[in-house]
């Protein structure tokens, strides 16, 4: 009898909410949902609505907060440096890259330096960003090294030197929380011990955990992606877990931070056909609306893309996405803009290398050798010096410069190189970069002779000799991720070379575009890069 009353109450509440919601809020039905990856339309539509994904690129393990009228999101970066990327938006849909919190990822471990380079798929995993005591705080985990933190007065930095909070192996997905009395807490998953979720008090400076306070507050199959909030007197613990072989969003709540916790309650359906939107951050707009910025737990070549889901509160619980008949959220592909958009913005991509520092879209593969690149030696150009790799292989070569790619209808990346400084043995060019898979179109120098070379993990194709020093390399791909490389001697007429390459996922990362340069013979040499232009459908 009691169970029937609860079901009837939930059904009446759901009906009331659906009748009262604006008609367009969940206008797009599952029937009209796009085939996964067919992002012919995405982001701000310019008519007061947006379409998911809001960013069709690899921004994994996202978290999000609002401070004033600005929104800040952070994303894991693994072995790339600088690490822990920070994005900024005025409306939760139009995003730009603000910077990074970790300048030197070798402070996590020497293995993250160009001298070792053996942490693919590790490094900076999921974390969180919070605003407390007039400062921004970030916390994240490395699966081998433990939990780390940093803080800054401004989100663009400067950030304090990285500090190790918890030096134990086997932990992930942490999140800080400060209560009204100023007491700080950290929640995180001990995945090496059956995915137990632990809650700790922190010291006043947020730099250490008080071990005697440790309490396990939840455990289930794959329980992680932790966030902790206090809303209307309740402590809400948001997380994800695996149910029926799919990852879903879950939540438990309590009046006391230590529990007992009520629930857990399932907030969203896993929906594997939509790659299980599951990890992210709850955020409230200036006008009181609630949203969930999430990644899709995809393993395809575009990585874990970002979507924004409206949130409906039912009986004191947030429902992520469109509530179904069971009061559980489902994927929403189109909705009104959360905040009236002022202008469309996009993450930075193209670079003419005219600035004094690298633009924030760039991330090196591992911590680079800092004296082997320059933006000042030749004004308006990036100079990369070649040095000996750990092995004769792009994945073992230091100072490979990368940025994310996007999954849109048409993508064109064009790079202009000057090869006049190349030395014998040197290899350089443009790459679709990942681990273990990759493809390159570039140049190999032997005793002053430069030849075109196309390589993948499984093949090497040697091309014609390059006459002259200025060469353009181009890659073009579409929604299917099939890349075609080409080259030009005048920047106008391009000739394809090499086999079509299917962009790939690997080491928890989607594909990246990269500029590489190394010399297995150790004889040095250099290349200059005038620009990288990246044009994609918006």
């Amino acid at each position: 009898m009691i169970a029937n009353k609860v079901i009837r109450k939930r059904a009446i509440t759901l009906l009331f909410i659906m009748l009262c919601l604006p008609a367009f809020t969940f206008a797009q039905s599952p029937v009209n949902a796009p085939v996964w990856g067919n992002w012919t339309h995405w982001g701000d539509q310019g008519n007061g609505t947006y379409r998911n994904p809001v960013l069709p690129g690899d921004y994994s393990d996202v978290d999000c907060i609002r401070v004033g009228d600005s929104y800040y999101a952070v994303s894991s970066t693994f072995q790339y440096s600088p690490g822990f990327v920070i994005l900024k938006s005025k409306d939760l849909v139009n995003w730009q890259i603000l910077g990074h919190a970790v300048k030197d990822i070798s402070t996590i471990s020497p293995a993250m330096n160009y001298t070792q380079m053996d942490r693919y798929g590790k490094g900076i995993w999921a974390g969180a960003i919070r605003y407390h005591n007039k400062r921004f705080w970030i916390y994240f985990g490395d699966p081998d090294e433990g939990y780390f933190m940093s803080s800054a007065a401004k989100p663009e930095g400067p950030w304090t030197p990285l500090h190790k909070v918890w030096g134990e192996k086997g932990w992930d997905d942490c999140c800080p929380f400060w209560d009204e009395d100023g007491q700080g807490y950290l929640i995180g998953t001990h995945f090496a011990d059956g995915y137990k979720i632990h809650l700790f008090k922190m010291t006043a400076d947020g730099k250490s955990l008080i071990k005697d306070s440790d309490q396990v507050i939840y455990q289930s199959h794959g329980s992680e992606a932790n966030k902790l909030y206090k809303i209307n007197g309740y402590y809400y613990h948001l997380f994800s877990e695996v149910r029926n072989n799919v990852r879903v969003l879950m939540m438990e709540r309590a009046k006391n931070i230590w529990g007992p916790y009520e629930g857990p309650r399932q907030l969203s359906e896993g929906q594997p056909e939509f790659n299980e939107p599951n990890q992210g951050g709850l955020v409230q707009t200036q006008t009181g609306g609630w949203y969930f910025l999430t990644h899709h737990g995809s393993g395809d070549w575009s990585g874990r893309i970002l979507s924004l889901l409206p949130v409906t509160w039912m009986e004191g619980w947030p429902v992520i996405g469109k509530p179904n008949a069971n009061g559980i959220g489902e994927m929403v592909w189109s909705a009104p803009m959360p905040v009236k958009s002022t202008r469309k913005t996009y993450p930075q991509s193209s670079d003419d290398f005219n600035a004094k520092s690298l633009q924030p879209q760039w991330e090196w593969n591992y911590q680079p050798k800092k004296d082997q690149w320059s933006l000042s030696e030749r004004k308006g150009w990036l100079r990369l010096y070649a040095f000996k790799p750990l092995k004769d292989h792009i994945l073992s070569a230091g100072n490979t410069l990368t940025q994310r790619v996007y999954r849109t209808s048409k993508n064109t990346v064009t790079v202009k190189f000057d090869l006049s400084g190349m030395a014998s043995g040197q290899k350089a060019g443009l790459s679709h970069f990942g681990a273990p898979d990759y493809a390159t179109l570039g140049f190999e120098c032997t005793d002053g002779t430069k030849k075109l070379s196309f390589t993948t993990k499984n093949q090497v194709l040697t091309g014609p000799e390059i006459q002259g020093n200025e060469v353009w390399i181009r890659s073009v791909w579409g929604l299917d991720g099939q890349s075609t490389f080409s080259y030009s001697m005048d920047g106008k007429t391009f000739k394809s070379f090499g086999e079509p390459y299917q962009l790939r996922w690997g080491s928890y990362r989607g594909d990246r575009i990269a500029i590489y340069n190394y010399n297995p013979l150790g004889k040095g040499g250099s290349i200059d890069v005038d620009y990288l232009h990246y044009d994609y459908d918006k």
Side-chain angles (χ1 to χ4, degrees):
M1 181 65 72
I2 294 175
N4 289 337
K5 286 182 179 179
V6 172
I7 292 171
R8 284 198 299 271
K9 182 180 178 182
R10 187 172 296 176
I12 291 170
T13 302
L14 177 61
L15 178 61
F16 175 78
I17 289 172
M18 295 305 293
L19 289 173
C20 292
L21 284 172
F24 193 80
T25 300
F26 303 115
Q28 186 166 328
S29 69
V31 175
N32 296 322
V35 175
W36 180 260
N38 189 31
W39 315 135
T40 54
H41 298 85
W42 59 275
D44 188 347
Q45 298 301 291
N47 61 1
T49 70
Y50 73 91
R51 293 193 63 174
N52 280 319
V54 293
L55 269 183
D58 193 9
Y59 291 94
S60 56
D61 304 316
V62 67
D63 186 34
C64 183
I65 60 170
R66 176 176 64 86
V67 179
D69 63 354
S70 296
Y71 300 87
Y72 301 96
V74 293
S75 170
S76 57
T77 48
F78 295 81
Q79 84 280 356
Y80 292 101
S81 182
F84 212 57
V85 66
I86 303 170
L87 303 142
K88 182 179 181 179
S89 174
K90 288 293 187 179
D91 55 23
L92 286 169
V93 174
N94 292 285
W95 294 92
Q96 285 199 306
I97 303 171
L98 190 62
H100 297 77
V102 184
K103 284 186 177 181
D104 186 350
I105 64 168
S106 68
T107 58
I108 298 172
S109 166
M112 306 296 291
N113 200 34
Y114 72 92
T115 54
Q116 295 190 29
M117 302 179 67
D118 63 350
R119 286 294 188 272
Y120 283 104
K122 297 184 178 181
I124 297 179
W125 278 19
I129 182 170
R130 291 293 181 266
Y131 187 70
H132 164 68
N133 199 23
K134 298 183 179 180
R135 292 185 70 82
F136 291 85
W137 303 74
I138 60 101
Y139 287 73
F140 64 85
D142 172 285
D144 292 331
E145 303 297 332
Y147 290 144
F148 295 82
M149 62 77 64
S150 179
S151 69
K154 298 179 180 179
E156 59 269 30
W159 290 83
T160 59
L162 202 60
H163 177 81
K164 184 178 287 190
V165 177
W166 182 252
E168 289 193 11
K169 187 175 182 178
W171 295 73
D172 70 357
D173 294 14
C174 61
C175 179
F177 170 79
W178 283 270
D179 215 337
E180 286 100 334
D181 61 1
Q183 177 62 56
Y185 300 83
L186 190 77
I187 192 169
T189 292
H190 193 187
F191 67 83
D193 186 26
Y195 286 89
K196 292 176 183 175
I197 296 176
H198 293 246
L199 179 66
F200 298 88
K201 278 187 177 182
M202 292 195 295
T203 53
D205 59 7
K207 292 184 176 182
S208 301
L209 304 185
I210 300 174
K211 295 184 180 181
D212 291 345
S213 68
D214 180 15
Q215 181 172 313
V216 175
I217 64 169
Y218 191 77
Q219 180 185 18
S220 66
H221 180 36
S223 51
E224 55 184 13
N226 302 288
K227 300 294 185 299
L228 196 58
Y229 306 93
K230 191 173 186 181
I231 304 168
N232 295 331
Y234 276 100
Y235 297 89
Y236 287 91
H237 171 214
L238 176 68
F239 59 98
S240 73
E241 67 182 26
V242 178
R243 290 193 170 192
N244 299 318
N245 297 315
V246 295
R247 187 165 283 279
V248 299
L249 280 164
M250 304 292 295
M251 179 173 275
E252 57 179 359
R253 70 179 186 181
K255 284 290 188 177
N256 185 297
I257 195 168
W258 300 107
Y261 277 86
E262 174 189 356
R265 180 175 292 203
Q266 186 172 336
L267 305 184
S268 69
E269 301 286 5
Q271 296 187 278
E273 69 274 24
F274 301 142
N275 282 307
E276 305 172 22
N278 63 72
Q279 182 159 334
L282 276 173
V283 63
Q284 188 178 27
T285 67
Q286 306 94 304
T287 56
W290 286 86
Y291 290 83
F292 186 67
L293 186 68
T294 184
H295 80 201
H296 294 257
S298 163
D300 70 13
W301 66 266
S302 50
R304 289 177 281 181
I305 63 168
L306 285 193
S307 283
L308 182 69
L309 302 181
V311 172
T312 303
W313 285 85
M314 297 174 58
E315 301 174 349
W317 298 87
V319 177
I320 309 296
K322 178 182 178 181
N324 61 20
N326 296 317
I328 300 175
E330 295 183 356
M331 183 63 196
V332 172
W333 290 101
S334 180
M337 292 286 292
V339 179
K340 186 177 180 181
S341 179
T342 54
R343 64 186 181 94
K344 291 185 180 182
T345 60
Y346 304 94
Q348 301 88 319
S349 53
S350 297
D351 196 348
D352 291 328
F353 300 112
N354 290 318
K356 294 181 179 180
S357 58
L358 283 172
Q359 297 302 295
Q361 65 267 34
W362 293 109
E363 294 169 357
W364 302 94
N365 183 39
Y366 293 98
Q367 190 65 24
K369 192 174 184 180
K370 61 183 180 180
D371 62 351
Q372 295 298 291
W373 66 277
S374 172
L375 288 169
S376 60
E377 291 186 14
R378 183 179 180 183
K379 188 175 180 179
W381 296 69
L382 166 67
R383 176 162 291 173
L384 294 173
Y385 289 99
F387 57 93
K388 191 171 184 178
L390 301 177
K391 299 177 183 178
D392 185 2
H393 196 287
I394 189 173
L395 298 183
S396 298
N399 288 28
T400 296
L401 189 60
T402 82
Q403 63 172 276
R404 293 163 184 79
V405 303
Y406 295 98
R407 187 171 191 156
T408 69
S409 298
K410 186 173 182 180
N411 303 262
T412 303
V413 168
T414 306
V415 184
K416 180 183 177 183
F417 293 92
D418 184 336
L419 310 181
S420 56
M422 289 191 78
S424 186
Q426 189 177 350
K427 301 178 181 181
L430 181 67
S431 173
H432 277 287
F433 184 84
D437 296 291
Y438 61 90
T440 72
L441 181 60
F443 323 98
E444 295 190 12
C445 182
T446 304
D447 297 328
T449 299
K450 307 176 190 75
K451 288 189 176 182
L452 202 65
S453 178
F454 171 83
T455 66
T456 68
K457 184 176 68 173
N458 300 313
Q459 65 173 321
V460 177
L461 297 175
T462 301
E465 183 178 339
I466 299 296
Q467 301 293 335
N469 289 316
E470 291 192 346
V471 189
W472 289 255
I473 299 290
R474 174 173 287 174
S475 173
V476 177
W477 69 95
L479 291 167
D480 60 0
Q482 286 278 339
S483 164
T484 301
F485 282 105
S486 58
Y487 71 102
S488 173
M489 302 307 298
D490 60 9
K492 299 176 182 179
T493 303
F494 284 80
K495 184 177 181 180
S496 62
F497 186 80
E499 301 292 330
Y501 175 70
Q502 175 60 58
L503 309 188
R504 290 179 172 87
W505 159 276
S507 301
Y508 299 114
R509 295 277 75 183
D511 178 77
R512 290 187 170 219
I513 203 74
I515 300 170
Y516 68 95
N517 178 47
Y518 61 99
N519 192 330
L521 300 183
K523 295 183 178 181
S526 67
I527 58 167
D528 290 341
V529 184
D530 190 8
Y531 59 77
L532 179 145
H533 290 167
Y534 182 4
D535 298 311
Y536 55 92
D537 283 353
K538 299 170 181 176

